[in-house]
Amino acid sequence: MMMSSPRKAMSCMQIQFRRSSTTTPSKTVSKSASCSIYTSSGQKHKLQNDNNNDNERKFHTLNCNTPYQLCFLRHGQSTWNRDNRFIGWTDTPLTNDGVLEARVAGQMLSRSSLQFDEVHTSLLRRCIRTTNLVLMEVGQEYIPVHKHWRLNERHYGNLVGMNKKEVVKVHGEDQVKRWRRSWDEPPPPMVDDHEFHPALDPRYWAVRDKIPKCESLKCTLSRSKVYWEQKIVPSLREGKTVLIVGHENNLRSLIMNLENIHKDDIINLCLPRAIPLAYRLDPETLEPLDRPDGKLDEATGFLRGEWLGGDEAVKEILDKDRKQVYDTSIEENLEIGAEQEKWKRWTELAIGPPVPEMVAKTAVSGDFLKNGFIPGMDMDVIENVNESDNRNDYDTGASENKNETVPRKNELDDDDDDFDEPSVAGGKI
């Protein structure tokens, strides 16, 4: 019996692997030659390595074959994405499907010829794991990966852990949409004895006084903008190509600032999981340059960036996400339905089985809570908690990732001291 087309079978979860029309052929660069970057006029500009000329840029970007300088990527499916629950700062791991989504994102980036010089992500493992898997696919596990709490997802307050559709049934679609997507309306604040309070997590010891009870998008931007201005902008000005692996609302805040989206319009911007969004920036102003077709993206209607999976695929995914949360007439969980299984089978066939270190961890997060961890507990107990968490970890480098995810107090203190307080007024908002 003849097999149906993968393109038809994958339906709304179909992802088109495509090479951008603006991508140039690879060139062999000799040791004495310099890589090139693209200016706003489309001309290639060589990055010289002339130490005697202070006016020349010294950094040699690895991204010699595309005009993109910046790429945003939301993490793959986590356990609470699958279960349709509000997540916030809760450290939910990737599912097997989430691992597959991250690998597909890596394949898209690889086939677009994008190469990165550094990655920035949050302290939450769904983003850290996505970063690791993407770098495996593009063959760039050697580049620096910077993690910081300012890139965490927005704090969903007392909604954390609740089923989104059940909350819609109680409070209505309009109210839940304002809590999730509006500019300055935060959800109800988290109670101090909440089961998933971030203060129970040792990775936030050094910033316990900065943990919010809840956040609007405005609050989220106030912290993410600090990191953007003091860490990411300097890298972009040096000529580096930057990948930001983040969470939907944190990325929405950064994209709102970058694209100058009005606060009344931002409620309509949603982002899909694991589809790279690539930008060409003016090298002087760092403003987004127009897409080659001169239009905004068809998926959201707001963006000058290019979806490497194609606008149509993104539109279909966002439509499915909307139904998953707001359409109370649909009782089925769309994250685990027949279409998802169909997509999974075709995708596994297309990209092949994962290597052992890519196998997903799907255990329930919050092992530190199960072990009775509270701030101030003896360090021997904390080590036991970390060891328990690592036994559940899904890759062979679990102990390494533990050290990455839970920074030492002094490291986080030193990193945080580098930042000034945010200044949202006077920005683009």
Side-chain angles (χ1 to χ4, degrees), residues 43-144:
Q43 299 292 323
K44 284 197 292 186
H45 171 69
K46 286 188 176 180
L47 297 176
Q48 304 292 339
N49 188 19
D50 183 359
N51 294 325
N52 297 322
N53 188 346
D54 292 336
N55 293 324
E56 295 285 354
R57 297 162 105 177
K58 305 300 192 298
F59 186 82
H60 285 225
T61 179
L62 298 172
N63 184 36
C64 300
N65 298 319
T66 83
Y68 304 115
Q69 298 109 301
L70 175 66
C71 186
F72 297 102
L73 178 67
R74 186 181 168 199
H75 60 80
Q77 184 197 64
S78 77
T79 52
W80 282 15
N81 291 135
R82 178 198 62 203
D83 299 339
N84 204 22
R85 299 169 73 181
F86 286 98
I87 310 176
W89 286 29
T90 310
D91 196 25
T92 57
L94 293 183
T95 62
N96 287 316
D97 285 359
V99 168
L100 193 56
E101 289 176 353
R103 293 185 61 208
V104 170
Q107 288 282 325
M108 286 187 235
L109 290 167
S110 177
R111 298 185 188 200
S112 72
S113 298
L114 257 169
Q115 292 277 284
F116 300 103
D117 300 302
E118 63 186 39
V119 186
H120 298 265
T121 192
S122 74
L123 293 184
L124 298 168
R125 58 181 160 177
R126 57 190 183 272
C127 273
I128 295 171
R129 296 295 195 185
T130 298
T131 299
N132 293 342
L133 291 163
V134 165
L135 293 181
M136 288 179 192
E137 293 293 339
V138 300
Q140 285 201 279
E141 295 160 271
Y142 55 87
I143 65 173

Side-chain angles (χ1 to χ4, degrees), residues 8-20:
K8 293 180 180 177
M10 287 165 69
S11 186
C12 72
M13 293 304 294
Q14 174 190 5
I15 301 301
Q16 300 172 1
F17 291 123
R18 65 187 182 92
R19 189 180 295 274
S20 167

Side-chain angles (χ1 to χ4, degrees), residues 31-46:
K31 291 183 179 180
S32 60
S34 300
C35 283
S36 300
I37 62 171
Y38 289 74
T39 65
S40 57
S41 64
Q43 299 292 323
K44 284 197 292 186
H45 171 69
K46 286 188 176 180

Side-chain angles (χ1 to χ4, degrees), residues 403-423:
N403 293 331
E404 293 173 349
T405 309
V406 187
R408 293 191 304 251
K409 183 176 188 300
N410 290 339
E411 287 178 346
L412 192 54
D413 277 341
D414 292 341
D415 195 15
D416 195 59
D417 288 342
D418 292 337
F419 294 104
D420 299 324
E421 285 305 306
S423 175

Side-chain angles (χ1 to χ4, degrees), residues 365-382:
S365 67
D367 291 331
F368 56 90
L369 293 169
K370 295 177 184 178
N371 285 273
F373 170 78
I374 57 173
M377 184 178 286
D378 184 81
M379 288 303 297
D380 290 336
V381 177
I382 296 171

